[in-house]
Amino acid sequence: MSKHVIVGAGPVGVETARALVAGGHQVISVTRTGNRPAVSGVVPVAADASDPTRLTEITAGAHALYNCANPSHYGNWEKVWPPLWSSMLRTAEATGAVLVSASSLYAYGPVDAVMTEQLPDKATEKNGRIRAAMWAEAKQLHDQGRIRAVEVRASDYAGAGVGGNGHLTRNVPAALAGRPVWFMGDPDQPHSWTDVLDVGRALATVAEHPGAYGRVWLAPTNPPRSAREATADVLAEAGRPMVAMRRIPDVFVRAAGLVNADFRQFGVMSYIMKRPYVIDSSAITAAFGLAPTPWGEVCRRTAGLSTVAAD
């Protein structure tokens, strides 16, 4: 049994903790409030992870430090991430813990092909550049031998506990109630959806394999489904009919962005939902045997009918 420290107790942090506890490890969850994740056996610690001295104290002796943080606002990443990421890098160097980071596809920027780990990070908008710079810094320190680092990227989240943090999941309560849902973008474009369960499994797995370090991996993800298809699939698993799906007008997003930084960034990143957004995660399957949770089970988890994937 080894010690593992997870920063963040959102859906990815919870699933990472669940995977690690199932593997017999000691797991510490670090949040500002010290709230305990809904996973038996996890030790909650209240701390500001942006404080490298405190985070180093907590992480001392750990095999791995996991970045599962998720800033509550989309529009202020340039304020939140630099001190938090600097603290994690310094802690990884001071303790020798493997830095295992959960990330998104934003660093790639808009692409016209299926996304794989071989794509270069070419994002030009703010949040994508921030994510790309974070990995570039970790990779440089890894290549210099100062830390050990690995990153797992995922597409839009599906599964249990995601709620308003996902383009698909935020519409599920209204859809289950039979109400029309509103979608930001084109609901008929092919799109990849990654279950947070599979992100957690991927993070826990790569942390245990030194051969995985020093590179990016894409979390196990099912073949793409459009937002309309995915919503219909979730409703079908719950025994409910499909509901009307309406597009949020671009003019509304632009107007909201004039007064709200989150909406302003949503508008900048809207390409994600207006064009095909598809990944090929076969590399992690080939390397570690990690296949995505079956799509039907993902839909049941997204509908709130199941919280743990079937074996």
Side-chain angles (χ1 to χ4, degrees), residues 141-155:
L141 293 175
H142 175 92
D143 291 344
Q144 292 171 353
R146 294 171 57 183
I147 68 171
R148 296 174 297 164
V150 60
E151 180 164 288
V152 174
R153 296 179 181 178
S155 192

Side-chain angles (χ1 to χ4, degrees), residues 70-268:
N70 184 28
S72 57
H73 291 286
Y74 203 57
N76 68 345
W77 280 16
E78 70 278 12
K79 298 179 181 178
V80 175
W81 272 123
L84 180 56
W85 188 236
S86 175
S87 176
M88 291 185 186
L89 293 173
R90 291 171 62 182
T91 296
E93 185 169 14
T95 64
V98 184
L99 181 56
V100 187
S101 189
S103 190
S104 65
L105 307 174
Y106 297 169
Y108 296 133
V111 297
D112 294 319
V114 174
M115 287 172 274
T116 68
E117 293 89 342
Q118 283 68 48
L119 279 178
D121 290 347
K122 289 189 173 182
T124 58
E125 53 73 35
K126 182 187 69 174
N127 284 5
R129 286 187 287 106
I130 289 171
R131 275 300 196 179
M134 288 168 63
W135 172 242
E137 188 173 10
K139 180 68 163 62
Q140 181 180 41
L141 293 175
H142 175 92
D143 291 344
Q144 292 171 353
R146 294 171 57 183
I147 68 171
R148 296 174 297 164
V150 60
E151 180 164 288
V152 174
R153 296 179 181 178
S155 192
D156 281 296
Y157 290 156
V162 179
N165 292 319
H167 289 287
L168 171 64
T169 55
R170 69 169 57 100
N171 283 325
V172 167
L176 288 173
R179 299 195 299 271
V181 296
W182 292 85
F183 188 76
M184 187 181 300
D186 184 349
D188 295 306
Q189 291 292 336
H191 200 88
S192 291
W193 311 94
T194 306
D195 195 316
V196 288
L197 175 69
D198 294 327
V199 184
R201 291 169 56 228
L203 292 168
T205 297
V206 298
E208 295 295 321
H209 289 83
Y213 304 165
R215 59 163 288 180
V216 166
W217 298 88
L218 297 183
T221 301
N222 284 287
R225 300 286 286 167
S226 71
R228 193 184 307 277
E229 291 170 332
T231 302
D233 292 343
V234 171
L235 290 172
E237 290 294 336
R240 307 291 177 85
M242 182 55 177
V243 298
M245 179 171 279
R246 299 165 181 167
R247 294 184 63 167
I248 299 175
D250 289 346
V251 65
F252 172 84
V253 178
R254 288 194 296 270
L258 295 176
V259 295
N260 183 286
D262 288 352
F263 267 97
R264 187 156 55 250
Q265 193 60 30
F266 285 145
V268 172

Side-chain angles (χ1 to χ4, degrees), residues 11 15 18 158-163 169 195-197 298 301-304 306-308:
E15 296 296 354
R18 182 174 285 123
V162 179
T169 55
D195 195 316
V196 288
L197 175 69
V298 174
R301 285 168 44 78
T302 304
S306 172
T307 57
V308 180

